[in-house]
Amino acid sequence: MNNLEDVAMIMNPELDQVAIAKENILSGYHLKYKGDSIVIETLIEKGHRFALVDIKKGEFVRQYGYPFGQSKGILKGESITSVNVDNVLPEIDLKNFSGPCKTTFEEKYSNRTFSGFIRKNGAVGTRNYYLVVPTSMCVSETALQVSLSLDNNENVLKEYSNIDGVVAIPHTEGCGCASNLQIDRFLRVLKGYVGHPNVGGCLIIDLGCEQTNYEKVHGYLKDIVDENLTPLDWITLQESGGTRALQEKAASIIRNRLNEVNRVKRKAAPLEKLIVGTECGASDSFSGITANPVIGNTVDKIIYGGGSAILSEIPEMVGSFNILFSRFRTLEIANKFNDLEKWYTNLAKNLGETLSGNLVPKNIEGGLLNNYIKSLGAALKGGETAVEDVIEYAESAQTRGLSIMQGPGGDLESVTGIVAAGANVICFSTGYGATSGNAICPVIKISSNDSTFEKLPEDIDFNAGRLLSEQTTIDALAEELLENVILTASGKKTWSEKWKQHQFQVWTAGKLPL
């Protein structure tokens, strides 16, 4: 008879009625747990759950100490599946709201520093990019060609040791749509990138006749222009003699700006200047067991040091109101989150869809039996501190601590919005292996298992799967990941940066990316 802990994990030993198999457990296997014996009734595949006790019909089934479904009648040792669990959660009574305690800052973390680029407004960049911004899809390819002509030319950048690159953010927005939410959201994203502390200089290119031409965009960026936060230039294709002439003029403008952008140097900055964005993609059953809790614990340490974090992917958190309810700073903030969940559900309904599409076949194959268990695991990326604010997609995060951002489950759109909101480093968990990055922000890829880390050694930056294979703890791995975050914020390149994975994709209004 083996000890249960040798082959399975329990996330909350005091409250959970389920364990997760670290490896395949054969039918008839006997496990020792709390002085008792559990007989496995059927094959439990790696990443799947089984009952630690009899769970009566109608009783809520718990993992992480929180419900993810209602039992149809489950026996001890039986596999937990969609067949014996109803997708039902208990109702939350808002009258019981009391609010969390104030966050306690810890000297151990508040004394930590990283080496960053300190901007005129006090924000600190972890990178120093020159950014080429097309205001519409019409000039996106042209902007990309301009940036590549310089960024791929080693003779241009080799003398500028404080510049991380010349990058463009091509996209499909800016015209050919109604001038309402879609344009407003797009402009908010552009403003977040142009004014981002990771951007040391910027050239904005417009066609001339689009909805988001010079007049529109310049007016929207007025405060950035007036405050002269970063060297900012503009050029219009229709007034520049055509594509080839514009590319030549644009390259000349950028070359003349690089000395100025290069003058800023890295200096010591306190941990409170870090804003960590959290993301997950290509999740497996262990994402919510290893990588997400490790990220969440790391986020807590950064917040204890006075820093901030952004948690997003609202479709990934449907059903997580239970786990978050006691953490909202105010009832108003709790209601804002609740309204976002309802908004997403209604959007799906209006489009003739459901949020069940968020659970892809590989998720189910890996052991995620419903959206709720996936949501509980996804929410763990936000750690355990108070939720200080709930913000719109790409809205600037103004409150120190943890903010939840309205945003989709799609990796690229979500990360784009998180960076626009101010994140200057991203912690990205992945089960099967996601390799994308971001145009201006370093993305640290964190695997949930040893296999993915070993299969993608030049894409994954940190292996949280060691929680399954080694004698270690979430807290110990989080301390290690914190060091990785600080080194990355101080200039250490992530794998996605080394491969120039400069993804940028705006969440189009009305689109339902799960």
Side-chain angles (χ1 to χ4, degrees):
M1 183 184 298
N2 284 60
N3 291 323
L4 181 142
E5 291 80 4
D6 294 335
V7 295
M9 290 187 66
I10 304 170
M11 301 308 294
N12 187 324
E14 294 182 5
L15 296 175
D16 290 358
Q17 313 112 308
V18 304
I20 306 97
K22 295 182 184 179
E23 56 193 52
N24 288 350
I25 306 175
L26 300 177
S27 174
Y29 207 75
H30 287 248
L31 297 175
K32 184 190 298 183
Y33 179 62
K34 289 185 176 180
D36 196 5
S37 175
I38 297 175
V39 181
I40 299 301
E41 297 297 328
T42 58
L43 169 68
I44 309 295
E45 294 184 2
K46 180 179 179 179
H48 290 244
R49 291 155 185 79
F50 61 91
L52 297 170
V53 294
D54 292 341
I55 309 173
K56 297 177 183 178
K57 182 178 181 180
E59 186 177 350
F60 288 106
V61 189
R62 295 176 181 271
Q63 184 174 304
Y64 312 106
Y66 293 93
F68 62 86
Q70 194 170 39
S71 171
K72 294 182 180 180
I74 305 170
L75 298 176
K76 181 169 67 171
E78 188 176 348
S79 178
I80 307 291
T81 70
S82 57
V83 174
N84 55 24
V85 172
D86 278 323
N87 294 339
V88 177
L89 295 180
E91 293 289 330
I92 291 289
D93 187 352
L94 297 180
K95 295 178 182 178
N96 293 331
F97 180 81
S98 59
C101 298
K102 289 186 177 180
T103 300
T104 302
F105 300 109
E106 298 182 15
E107 187 176 353
K108 175 182 178 181
Y109 301 111
S110 59
N111 287 338
R112 297 300 307 273
T113 63
F114 69 98
S115 182
F117 298 98
I118 301 174
R119 305 302 182 182
K120 292 179 181 178
N121 61 356
V124 179
T126 60
R127 295 293 181 269
N128 190 31
Y129 279 108
Y130 189 95
L131 186 64
V132 184
V133 179
T135 69
S136 68
M137 68 185 88
C138 312
V139 286
S140 280
E141 181 62 27
T142 301
L144 179 61
Q145 291 171 4
V146 168
S147 70
L148 291 177
S149 70
L150 296 167
D151 197 64
N152 289 343
N153 188 336
E154 293 182 1
N155 292 326
V156 173
L157 293 179
K158 67 179 181 180
E159 59 188 283
Y160 302 110
S161 59
N162 297 319
I163 297 177
D164 289 285
V166 177
V167 296
I169 48 174
H171 53 81
T172 59
E173 307 300 309
C175 208
C177 63
S179 56
N180 47 30
L181 176 61
Q182 187 165 338
I183 293 295
D184 291 341
R185 180 183 288 171
F186 170 59
L187 288 174
R188 193 160 65 235
V189 172
L190 283 195
K191 186 173 184 178
Y193 274 68
V194 172
H196 198 282
N198 284 6
V199 173
C202 185
L203 173 64
I204 301 178
I205 302 175
D206 70 319
L207 179 64
C209 61
E210 66 267 71
Q211 289 192 56
T212 49
N213 60 11
Y214 171 87
E215 182 179 4
K216 177 78 170 180
V217 177
H218 186 273
Y220 196 86
L221 301 180
K222 188 176 186 302
D223 55 339
I224 294 178
V225 175
D226 290 347
E227 293 173 20
N228 192 27
L229 291 179
T230 184
L232 194 61
D233 294 291
W234 305 73
I235 190 167
T236 299
L237 192 149
Q238 291 170 347
E239 303 297 328
S240 299
T243 301
R244 181 186 61 78
L246 178 139
Q247 289 177 344
E248 291 177 354
K249 291 178 182 178
S252 177
I253 290 171
I254 295 171
R255 286 173 183 268
N256 289 333
R257 284 291 194 185
L258 291 181
N259 277 324
E260 182 179 356
V261 175
N262 190 61
R263 287 192 197 112
V264 63
K265 298 180 180 180
R266 289 186 180 272
K267 296 179 180 179
L271 207 60
E272 69 180 53
K273 294 299 183 178
L274 275 185
I275 303 178
V276 179
T278 66
E279 182 69 22
C280 56
S283 302
D284 67 354
S285 184
F286 290 113
S287 293
I289 306 301
T290 60
N292 291 351
V294 169
I295 290 174
N297 194 294
T298 305
V299 162
D300 286 342
K301 297 178 193 305
I302 290 168
I303 291 174
Y304 296 152
S308 301
I310 300 172
L311 175 66
S312 188
E313 302 176 286
I314 297 300
E316 300 272 1
M317 292 190 283
V318 171
S320 64
F321 198 52
N322 288 280
I323 197 172
L324 294 171
F325 183 63
S326 63
R327 293 172 54 191
F328 292 109
R329 177 60 67 198
T330 66
L331 184 57
E332 179 185 6
I333 293 171
N335 284 326
K336 283 173 71 174
F337 178 81
N338 212 12
D339 288 344
L340 288 185
E341 283 200 333
K342 291 177 181 177
W343 179 90
Y344 229 114
T345 302
N346 289 335
L347 174 62
K349 184 178 180 181
N350 291 337
L351 294 174
E353 303 286 348
T354 69
L355 295 183
S356 61
N358 181 254
L359 203 67
V360 300
K362 276 291 187 181
N363 292 157
I364 298 169
E365 179 185 318
L368 296 173
L369 61 100
N370 64 18
N371 274 335
Y372 299 143
I373 193 69
K374 185 178 182 183
S375 294
L376 291 178
L380 292 180
K381 298 193 303 295
E384 297 182 349
T385 64
V387 178
E388 304 291 352
D389 201 4
V390 172
I391 60 178
E392 287 298 323
Y393 181 77
E395 179 185 354
S396 178
Q398 300 291 337
T399 306
R400 183 186 294 187
L402 177 65
S403 295
I404 294 178
M405 186 192 79
Q406 158 71 309
D411 307 349
L412 303 189
E413 292 124 323
S414 179
V415 171
T416 295
I418 290 171
V419 173
N424 49 14
V425 64
I426 302 290
C427 286
F428 189 123
S429 79
T430 185
Y432 292 103
T435 61
S436 60
N438 177 261
I440 61 172
C441 187
V443 177
I444 301 171
K445 288 294 172 56
I446 299 141
S447 67
S448 68
N449 60 83
D450 292 342
S451 176
T452 296
F453 184 74
E454 291 162 1
K455 286 192 297 185
L456 300 171
E458 294 185 338
D459 290 289
I460 305 299
D461 302 285
F462 188 90
N463 178 20
R466 287 174 289 159
L467 191 62
L468 301 173
S469 58
E470 298 179 6
Q471 293 295 317
T472 187
T473 64
I474 290 173
D475 186 68
L477 288 175
E479 287 287 350
E480 191 179 327
L481 180 57
L482 175 62
E483 297 303 320
N484 194 308
V485 169
I486 290 172
L487 287 173
T488 299
S490 301
K492 175 188 174 185
K493 298 294 185 185
T494 65
W495 280 115
S496 61
E497 290 182 286
K498 291 175 183 177
W499 304 134
K500 295 192 175 184
Q501 294 288 307
H502 292 304
Q503 279 79 6
F504 175 87
Q505 184 169 327
V506 180
W507 179 31
T508 301
K511 181 184 175 185
L512 186 68
L514 300 173

